[in-house]
């Protein structure tokens, strides 16, 4: 391979004007066709053909399956289902003409206000790693290259192009990197670097992150691609820093990179290494790649998976006096309030937007689930009318929360001129509902004894100022193209909800770590999320891992022990209610005996079990001892503290939901 | 149920709307698929519909929803009303065959006030009325459509409305056909004692299904609908024939003479004999005939007045609309409104004044 050929492998072939046209011309959209990069015709090396995600394949219009957003799938705690979804997405990537899928987003929302939280699985590193690697493995099962993104420290949207993140070494290694490492350990073949800076350097040209940690320490053997357009800023720095492929167009690589090699500012060995990584990966994945016909796009089986995820992920947060499920035979008139009920609540309109053949809205889904019921929708604009309707109805459903103008991908404030919509970005103002929705719930909710709120959103929504005004609350996230169907089924009890919160719901926003959304610098503290609240002794509104069911579960006879290189928690789990249902059981490990500052406890295992009413099963959750390590700044490595660890097993992170014991390691 | 006395304005296929001006004497309980906007130009009209009867006065507006059962009656004062009948197809997208829009536009009521008030609706309705009067011999169908769509836009943007959503796959058009068939069947066979039993058999629907279906669609049970049909027939015979009352009782199918008297009195407030002597529900029939000859110019004058009243209201409207979150659009609709004012001064119209 000539130097020119090798350099050609290292950047995107997407014409920039073409890319702009995609985003502005009617009938097209961002990534409506895969974006090509590299390739070598002479030697028969295929090009990379990039398809974005992560709630399905972005390419095409009216074809691909729109799955629930990643956050909802995080709430399923179902790694087997996530792997199946990965396979389905990969088949659709191939059917769209792609071979590289950027659907594995595992950034940790340091603060739930992050506008793109919906694209990731939740606040907990262990859970992120397990769910993300399950998707990655599913994608790669189909011989499609999975791209894990955005490496790293990318959890602020508005300032993503400018912000420089710093944190101490323990925060870096224990909180923000382990989930990336897990995906790399399990075989991820591609990593996308993020836009932001880490400790002064753009992540796309950050030798510490890309060369030292990712490639040397973790032994990553795949290739690194840049985030789009603004991912790198300096040819030599990027190439030397470990960037293998500039995306999606050739701007700073190509001729500039050749020049840099010729004038000695980039050693040819760096080019050789990048070329080797790209070609090696392509050859591996081109082998025996099962083909996929176009007919797999939005096929029955894939849509069934999307529905299954919505059924498992939607989370029941409150159910006063068992008001849910609604009884079809007793409900004659059902009122649905809130404009989101009528909308396609599938999530952001940024790079993750999928264009499915259809979307079942919440309203349609609820009406479908209750063919004999008079289902009346009203936007809620006029409170007086909403009240009249609520008084006359047998039950009231509020569908409230966010749309892409409230949270989502953000390029600049000027973007609002392009499509007339204000760009989402981070939730800088409030983590609660819109004031008019709060007022509607407060005034209308108490008028009907069977009142339920469905929340639509990508991450935690504060509930304190209205939660007592209604009987039941469900978090529906952005539940995908069949989300309305799942909402209807859950409302009427055809499906028993089993999702669990992949984040903590605090009482007040002040309980979360301080953050400046519009900034050029942000420090990340060691504690965030439930670990932060527990450490500070602050009771949450709802704990991490919380979610109700229409049945009840009892945990009994716990046993905790060490077995080889694992800690094991066992117990009997009984469905003590009258309905069949699934339960997500969680293993936490506590560090109260630590000699250093460590969290009270951390999630270190989970499993999902389906139990018929009255059925009992024996549960066993294992966790490798390695997962209990901390990063010792003095020795600069992960180490196991030899001490007594508390082990907990139960239904959520709250003490009242856990059985516990201990284990000496 | 063809009980309107009306002056039809034909606009051909280019406008999905039927506009007419009339004086209401009585329009007995009826319904239609069209949405129907009613603007009282003069006097007042008693409106009998769910949830409660009320009187609509001059300058007030009301929107009857598709399939809403209603009855209109003259009050003590003479009236002139504008009706705008809008096909329900305009309210549905292609894939929306399984939903029905129900509006709450009633300027007589305090609740459910549109975010921009009633004024723009009254103004636009009056403008549509002006474009459609017989004094305007060659109405521009596109102008009329633009007014109509302007009004619909305001209705959807600022009006209060619900959507009755059915399960996917259920087609309300299909339901509409079924409904018409059921009603026709009842009307044609109302003298049969067992008409309902025959109906269930004929349509292959259970009594319960028919009950729910009718209640959902027109708010009446099969039994109530049957009684309405039978009374209609009886009233017709009383009013327009000399058939003996015993014959009327027999043919109506309402039951024995005693039952018939009781039910008839309850419905009309009159005994059958009194009804016949009066020549119908009220005695003002000849005046209506006269109305058609003299009222057109009066109606045009009233319509112009309703448009012109706006000038005084404009300031008030503007302040009100600025408080609305979507203030920008409000102003646009005000602009539309002002345009409609200038439209009124078309040469064809001003010539008739």
């Amino acid at each position: 391979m000539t130097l020119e050929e090798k350099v050609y492998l290292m950047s995107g072939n997407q014409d920039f004007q073409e890319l702009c046209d995609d985003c502005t011309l009617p009938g097209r959209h961002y990534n409506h066709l895969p974006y090509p990069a590299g390739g070598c015709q002479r030697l028969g090396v295929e090009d990379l053909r990039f398809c974005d995600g992560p709630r399905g394949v972005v390419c095409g219009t009216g074809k691909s399956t729109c799955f629930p957003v990643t956050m909802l799938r995080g709430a399923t705690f179902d790694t087997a289902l996530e792997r199946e979804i990965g396979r389905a997405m990969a088949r659709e990537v191939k059917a769209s003409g792609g071979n590289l899928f950027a659907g594995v987003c595992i950034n940790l929302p340091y603060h739930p206000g992050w506008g793109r939280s919906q694209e990731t699985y939740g606040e907990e590193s262990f859970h992120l790693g397990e769910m993300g690697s399950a998707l990655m493995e599913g994608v790669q099962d189909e011989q499609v290259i999975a791209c894990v993104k955005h490496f790293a420290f990318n959890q602020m949207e508005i300032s993503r192009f400018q912000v420089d993140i710093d944190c101490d070494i323990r925060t870096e290694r224990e909180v923000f990197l382990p989930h990336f490492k897990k995906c790399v350990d399990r075989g991820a073949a591609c990593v996308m670097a993020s836009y932001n800076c880490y400790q002064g350097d753009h992540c796309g040209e950050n030798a510490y992150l890309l060369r030292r940690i990712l490639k040397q320490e973790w032994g990553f053997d795949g290739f690194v691609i840049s985030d789009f357009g603004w991912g790198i800023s300096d040819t030599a720095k990027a190439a030397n820093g470990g960037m293998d492929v500039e995306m999606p167009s050739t701007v700073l690589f190509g001729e500039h990179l050749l020049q840099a090699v010729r004038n000695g500012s980039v050693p040819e060995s760096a080019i050789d290494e990048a070329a080797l990584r790209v070609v090696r990966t392509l050859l591996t994945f081109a082998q025996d790649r099962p083909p996929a016909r176009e007919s797999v796009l939005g096929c029955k089986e894939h849509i069934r998976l999307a529905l299954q995820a919505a059924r498992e992920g939607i989370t029941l947060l409150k159910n006063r006096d068992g008001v849910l499920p609604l009884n079809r035979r007793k409900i004659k008139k059902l009122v649905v309030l809130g404009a989101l009920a009528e909308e396609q609540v599938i999530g952001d309109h940024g790079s993750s937007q999928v264009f499915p053949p259809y979307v079942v809205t919440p309203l349609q889904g609820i009406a479908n689930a209750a063919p004999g019921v008079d289902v009346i929708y009203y936007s809620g604009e006029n409170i007086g009318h909403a009240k009249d309707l609520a008084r006359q109805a047998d039950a009231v459903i509020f569908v409230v929360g966010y749309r892409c103008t409230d949270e989502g991908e953000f390029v600049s404030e000027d973007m609002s001129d392009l499509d007339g919509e204000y760009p989402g970005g981070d939730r800088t103002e409030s983590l609660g509902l819109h004031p008019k929705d709060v007022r509607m719930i407060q005034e209308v909710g108490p008028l009907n004894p069977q009142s339920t709120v469905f929340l639509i959103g990508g991450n935690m929504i504060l509930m304190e100022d209205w939660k007592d005004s209604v009987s039941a609350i469900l978090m529906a996230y952005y539940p995908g193209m069949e989300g309305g169907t799942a909402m209807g089924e859950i409302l009427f009890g055809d499906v028993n909800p089993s999702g669990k919160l992949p984040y903590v719901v605090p009482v007040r926003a002040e309980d979360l770590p301080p953050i400046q959304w519009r900034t050029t610098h942000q420090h990340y503290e060691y504690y965030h999320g439930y670990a932060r609240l527990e450490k500070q002794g602050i009771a949450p509104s709802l704990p991490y891992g919380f979610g109700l069911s229409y049945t009840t579960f009892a945990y009994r006879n716990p046993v905790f022990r060490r077995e080889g290189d694992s800690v094991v928690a066992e117990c009997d789990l009984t469905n003590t209610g009258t309905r069949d249902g699934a339960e997500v059981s969680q293993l936490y490990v506590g560090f109260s005996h630590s000699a250093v500052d460590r969290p009270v406890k951390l999630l270190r295992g989970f499993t999902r079990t389906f139990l018929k009413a009255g059925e009992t099963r024996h549960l066993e959750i294992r966790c490798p001892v390695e997962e209990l390590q901390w990063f010792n700044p003095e020795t600069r490595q992960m180490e196991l503290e030899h001490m007594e660890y508390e082990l907990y097993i139960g239904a959520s992170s709250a003490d009242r939901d856990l059985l516990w014991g201990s284990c000496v390691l | 149920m063809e009980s309107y006395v009306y002056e039809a304005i034909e606009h051909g296929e280019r406008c999905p709307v039927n506009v007419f001006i009339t004086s209401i004497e009585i329009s007995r309980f009826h319904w239609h698929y069209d949405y129907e906007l009613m603007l009282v130009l003069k006097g007042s009209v008693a409106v009998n519909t769910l949830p409660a009867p009320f009187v609509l006065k001059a300058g007030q507006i009301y929107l009857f929803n598709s399939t809403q059962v209603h009855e209109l009656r003259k009050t003590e004062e003479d009236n002139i009303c504008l009706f705008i009948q809008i096909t329900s197809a305009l309210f549905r997208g292609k894939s929306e065959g399984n939903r029905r829009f129900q509006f709450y536009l009633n300027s007589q009521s305090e609740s459910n006030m549109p975010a921009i008030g009633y004024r723009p609706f009254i103004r636009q309705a009056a403008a549509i009325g002006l474009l459609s009067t017989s004094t305007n011999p060659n109405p521009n169908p596109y102008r009329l459509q633009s007014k109509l769509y302007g009004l619909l836009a305001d209705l959807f943007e600022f009006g209060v409305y619900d959507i009755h959503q059915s399960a996917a796959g259920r087609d309300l058009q299909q339901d509409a056909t079924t409904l018409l068939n059921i009603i026709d069947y009842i009307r044609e066979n109302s003298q049969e004692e067992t008409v309902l039993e025959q109906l269930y058999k004929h349509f292959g629907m259970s009594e319960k299904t028919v009950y729910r279906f009718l209640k959902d669609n027109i708010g009446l049970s099969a039994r109530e609908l049957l009684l309405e049909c039978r009374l209609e027939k009886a009233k017709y015979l009383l009013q327009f024939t000399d058939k003996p009352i015993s014959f009327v009782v027999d043919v109506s199918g309402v039951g024995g003479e005693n039952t018939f008297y009781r039910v008839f009195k309850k419905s009309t407030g009159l005994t059958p004999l009194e009804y016949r002597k009066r020549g119908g529900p009220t005695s003002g029939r000849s005046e209506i005939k006269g109305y058609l000859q003299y009222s057109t110019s009066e109606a045009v004058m009233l319509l112009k007045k309703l448009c012109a009243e706006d000038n005084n209201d404009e300031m008030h409207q503007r302040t009100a609309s600025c408080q609305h979150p979507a203030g920008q659009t409000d102003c646009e609709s005000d602009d539309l409104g002002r345009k409609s004012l200038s439209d009124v001064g078309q040469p064809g119209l001003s010539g008739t004044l």
Side-chain angles (χ1 to χ4, degrees), chain B residues 5-218:
Chain B
V5 183
Y6 74 96
E7 176 193 327
I9 314 280
E10 296 290 333
H11 283 290
E13 289 169 5
R14 277 187 285 184
C15 203
V17 65
N18 188 30
V19 186
F20 58 90
I21 296 166
T22 186
S23 174
I24 289 292
E25 186 199 15
I26 179 155
S27 168
R28 295 201 188 88
F29 275 110
H30 72 290
W31 60 273
H32 31 72
Y33 289 113
D34 277 17
Y35 289 80
E36 185 175 63
L37 198 61
M38 174 183 180
L39 174 62
V40 179
L41 304 179
K42 177 188 170 185
S44 59
V45 175
V47 181
N48 192 1
T49 192
L50 291 172
F54 59 91
V55 172
L56 204 63
K57 299 196 183 84
Q60 293 187 328
I61 198 166
Y62 185 88
L63 178 64
F64 294 101
N65 286 292
S66 179
T67 73
Q68 179 182 353
V69 175
H70 57 284
E71 182 184 58
L72 306 174
R73 280 176 193 272
K74 183 180 186 299
T75 60
E76 294 304 306
E77 24 178 8
D78 288 340
N79 65 72
I80 304 178
C81 301
L82 167 72
F83 290 90
I84 302 172
Q85 296 177 326
I86 310 162
T87 173
S88 58
L90 274 192
F91 293 81
R92 277 198 291 265
K94 254 189 191 163
S95 60
E96 296 179 318
N98 60 348
R99 49 177 30 198
R100 182 161 53 81
F101 291 90
Q102 177 167 330
F103 296 89
Y104 297 80
L105 189 76
N106 179 4
S107 71
Q108 182 269 344
S109 145
E110 289 290 309
S111 57
N112 299 329
M113 164 104 83
I116 51 170
Y118 292 108
R119 193 29 69 196
F121 295 96
I122 292 167
R123 181 174 58 205
Q124 290 178 89
I128 290 170
L130 273 174
L131 282 171
S132 314
T133 53
S134 54
T135 56
N136 192 9
N138 290 309
N140 177 338
Y142 301 104
R143 179 70 58 208
L144 187 61
Q145 285 198 55
S146 82
K147 295 286 169 239
L148 176 67
Y149 281 98
L151 193 146
L152 293 188
D154 280 353
L155 206 49
F156 276 96
E157 189 161 359
F158 305 111
V160 175
Y161 67 92
D162 311 326
I163 298 173
H164 287 247
Q165 176 76 52
S166 308
R170 185 170 160 197
D171 188 347
L172 294 182
Q173 289 301 349
Q174 185 56 45
D175 287 0
T177 310
T178 309
L179 182 58
L180 273 184
N181 289 340
I182 288 177
I183 288 166
D184 283 349
Y185 189 91
I186 290 179
R187 293 179 78 190
E188 283 161 20
N189 301 290
S190 65
Q191 78 288 354
E192 305 270 340
E193 205 174 325
T194 57
V195 54
L196 294 183
E197 285 70 26
Q198 291 169 28
L199 172 108
Y200 305 140
K201 218 178 268 175
H202 183 82
F203 286 91
M205 294 165 83
S206 73
E207 181 175 355
K208 208 172 152 190
T209 309
V210 171
Y211 176 85
R212 276 216 67 84
F213 183 75
L214 289 177
K215 271 281 180 195
D216 285 352
N217 281 287
I218 56 171

Side-chain angles (χ1 to χ4, degrees), chain A residues 332-333 342 361 363-364 367-379 381-382 384-386 388-389, chain B residues 96 98-101 104 111-114 159-170 212 216 324-325:
Chain A
K332 294 203 166 55
K333 193 189 255 192
E342 256 263 276
T361 63
L363 177 62
Q364 184 65 70
N368 290 350
V373 177
D374 187 12
V375 176
I376 303 168
Y377 158 83
Y378 176 55
S379 67
E381 204 65 42
N382 179 321
H385 183 58
D388 287 346
L389 288 173
Chain B
E96 296 179 318
N98 60 348
R99 49 177 30 198
R100 182 161 53 81
F101 291 90
Y104 297 80
S111 57
N112 299 329
M113 164 104 83
V160 175
Y161 67 92
D162 311 326
I163 298 173
H164 287 247
Q165 176 76 52
S166 308
R170 185 170 160 197
R212 276 216 67 84
D216 285 352
H324 193 263

Side-chain angles (χ1 to χ4, degrees), chain B residues 200-266:
Chain B
Y200 305 140
K201 218 178 268 175
H202 183 82
F203 286 91
M205 294 165 83
S206 73
E207 181 175 355
K208 208 172 152 190
T209 309
V210 171
Y211 176 85
R212 276 216 67 84
F213 183 75
L214 289 177
K215 271 281 180 195
D216 285 352
N217 281 287
I218 56 171
L220 296 175
S221 70
R223 226 156 266 290
E224 288 163 336
L225 183 64
L226 175 61
L227 184 62
E228 277 302 321
C229 292
R230 286 172 166 171
L231 285 173
E232 277 308 305
K233 185 175 271 181
K235 287 174 192 169
Y236 178 85
L237 293 172
L238 288 170
Q239 191 173 341
F240 298 108
T241 71
D242 300 326
K243 306 275 186 207
I245 288 181
S246 59
F247 175 85
V248 174
V249 171
D250 230 28
V251 169
S252 76
V254 170
E257 207 149 320
N258 287 344
T259 315
F260 181 82
Y261 268 79
R262 182 167 45 77
V263 172
F264 193 89
K265 176 115 196 203
K266 196 179 167 203

